[in-house]
Amino acid sequence: MKIIIDAMGGDHAPAAPVEAGARATRELGVDIVLVGKRDVIERELAKYQFDKNRLEIVHADEVITNHEEPAKAVRAKKNASVVVAGRLLKEGKGDAMLSMGNTGALLATGLLIVGRSKGVSRPALATLLPTDKGPKLLIDAGANTNCKDINLVQFAVMGSIYMKNVLDIDRPRVGLMSNGEEEGKGDALTKETYPLLQRAGVNFIGNIEGRDVMEGNADVITCDGFVGNVILKTVEGMGSVISKKVKGLFLKNMFTKIGSLFVAGGLKEFKKMMDYREYGGAPLLGVKKPVIKGHGSSDAKAAFSAIIQAKKFVETNVIQNIEGHIGSMEVIKDE
């Protein structure tokens, strides 16, 4: 298996993706292609041990920054690292690709270069959220701000297949994000989507509210990208605030510091649950080959988790299952 990594993308590039790629050749038994400025990548690689037979560098001397208009930059910068990585994937020179760089550029690369899966109206960005009952999938997390009912249904189907195959959940519970649990609640889009989900062949449990997200009451949360991105950023912010507050409480005085010793194990477990580095990246579902978006601030640990995720993405044939499921169901075909 060969995984292509945009070595120039992310806040800690090229250090984080290069270190993670080198580690993957040693521990995961996968081949790695690092895409970016060759001299820069080679300087970073010199710091690590890696299997030289499993690692390749493909030179790309341009980078798409967070300040550029994504689709325009992807079209104009033919030699940008994320664009070259996408082209390699399309040409069959790798089995999956990973980037921690500009989200919009990766989405544009997935859509314009890798291409949509057969039958999928709009690819969607899915992300795993830490909850009281383990990681749950939010889809769409920001790729599509204006959606139709058919899009939300396809998001639910794709998310269900991903959770079943990659996280080994037998019958993922699908919840439709709304402002109330009753069937009649929600805006026009939610109301139109509800009956379609009932016939979509997924384990649909009905509407869920905001409080249900962190309680983990649904394995797959389907919504448009505007709502999804607000949820995602709220959860990230909440995790950061809670961590700071808890740390501040236990450092308040001598007695609280002593008390912290008795709950150290629980605090460590909570910190791990809220750590995005444990969950890898966000798959772009609905494109022809596995594409993973890593967190922009990913360090080497997070990048390595994303490589593990990409590996399982390939091994479990998620894309073939998505295309087969969507192609066979009239209710989720776009009109």
Side-chain angles (χ1 to χ4, degrees):
M1 183 187 301
K2 186 177 287 186
I3 297 172
I4 305 163
I5 302 176
D6 169 15
M8 310 309 293
D11 299 341
H12 302 292
V18 169
E19 181 181 347
R23 180 183 172 189
T25 66
R26 302 192 312 266
E27 299 181 19
L28 300 181
V30 297
D31 294 337
I32 296 294
V33 179
L34 295 173
V35 182
K37 298 178 181 179
R38 183 179 295 275
D39 58 337
V40 175
I41 294 172
E42 287 177 343
R43 281 199 299 271
E44 282 297 322
L45 272 176
K47 302 174 184 178
Y48 310 106
Q49 292 183 336
F50 60 94
D51 186 339
K52 294 181 180 179
N53 295 319
R54 289 191 173 277
L55 193 142
E56 174 187 358
I57 300 172
V58 173
H59 181 66
D61 56 15
E62 293 181 293
V63 177
I64 296 177
T65 69
N66 288 327
H67 304 292
E68 297 180 78
E69 199 283 312
K72 185 184 295 184
V74 166
R75 290 188 176 97
K77 291 186 170 182
K78 302 296 184 183
N79 206 35
S81 54
V82 67
V83 174
V84 173
R87 198 157 57 239
L88 291 171
L89 184 64
K90 180 183 180 179
E91 293 170 356
K93 296 176 181 177
D95 300 294
M97 73 168 282
L98 163 67
S99 176
M100 275 72 73
N102 184 309
T103 300
L106 183 67
L107 296 176
T109 297
L111 186 60
L112 300 175
I113 297 176
V114 180
R116 289 183 299 172
S117 291
K118 186 177 180 181
V120 174
S121 301
R122 295 187 187 180
L125 198 61
T127 188
L128 291 170
L129 298 177
T131 78
D132 187 48
K133 298 172 184 173
K136 306 301 178 185
L137 195 77
L138 175 70
I139 183 170
D140 180 21
N144 306 280
T145 54
N146 295 302
C147 294
K148 298 187 293 185
D149 51 11
I150 197 71
N151 304 135
L152 267 60
V153 175
Q154 289 190 348
F155 298 165
V157 170
M158 294 191 294
S160 293
I161 291 171
Y162 187 85
M163 290 296 277
K164 180 177 181 178
N165 287 273
V166 178
L167 269 76
D168 302 315
I169 298 175
D170 187 39
R171 294 187 70 243
R173 299 163 300 163
V174 175
L176 176 61
M177 198 67 214
S178 186
N179 64 340
E181 295 180 353
E182 298 84 2
E183 181 175 347
K185 286 294 181 88
D187 58 9
L189 176 61
T190 307
K191 293 175 183 177
E192 291 163 2
T193 303
Y194 194 104
L196 294 182
L197 282 172
Q198 290 178 310
R199 306 196 306 271
V202 296
N203 184 19
F204 180 50
I205 61 172
N207 290 337
I208 62 168
E209 298 179 272
R211 62 170 175 244
D212 295 307
V213 174
M214 294 308 294
E215 290 178 2
N217 293 333
D219 299 303
V220 177
I221 304 149
T222 185
C223 57
D224 65 65
F226 179 87
V227 171
N229 197 256
V230 170
I231 293 172
L232 174 61
K233 296 300 171 59
T234 301
V235 171
E236 288 179 345
M238 180 189 70
S240 177
V241 169
I242 290 176
S243 295
K244 289 177 183 177
K245 288 293 184 182
V246 170
K247 185 177 180 180
L249 285 172
F250 282 110
L251 293 177
K252 194 171 183 181
N253 54 53
M254 181 183 70
F255 298 105
T256 58
K257 289 178 182 178
I258 294 173
S260 70
L261 299 176
F262 295 97
V263 294
L267 288 174
K268 187 175 181 180
E269 184 178 341
F270 174 75
K271 184 178 179 180
K272 183 177 180 180
M273 184 190 84
M274 297 300 295
D275 189 353
Y276 71 87
R277 297 179 301 172
E278 299 288 339
Y279 299 100
L284 179 60
L285 300 179
V287 292
K288 291 179 179 178
K289 295 190 177 181
V291 175
I292 299 283
K293 171 64 178 75
H295 201 289
S297 59
S298 293
D299 59 11
K301 177 182 177 181
F304 185 73
S305 295
I307 294 172
I308 294 173
Q309 184 182 17
K311 182 174 182 286
K312 193 163 187 181
F313 196 159
V314 175
E315 290 173 338
T316 52
N317 298 314
V318 170
I319 291 173
Q320 293 86 337
N321 288 329
I322 286 173
E323 291 180 343
H325 197 134
I326 287 182
S328 67
M329 299 186 65
E330 294 295 331
V331 68
I332 53 176
K333 288 182 180 178
D334 200 0
E335 297 177 355

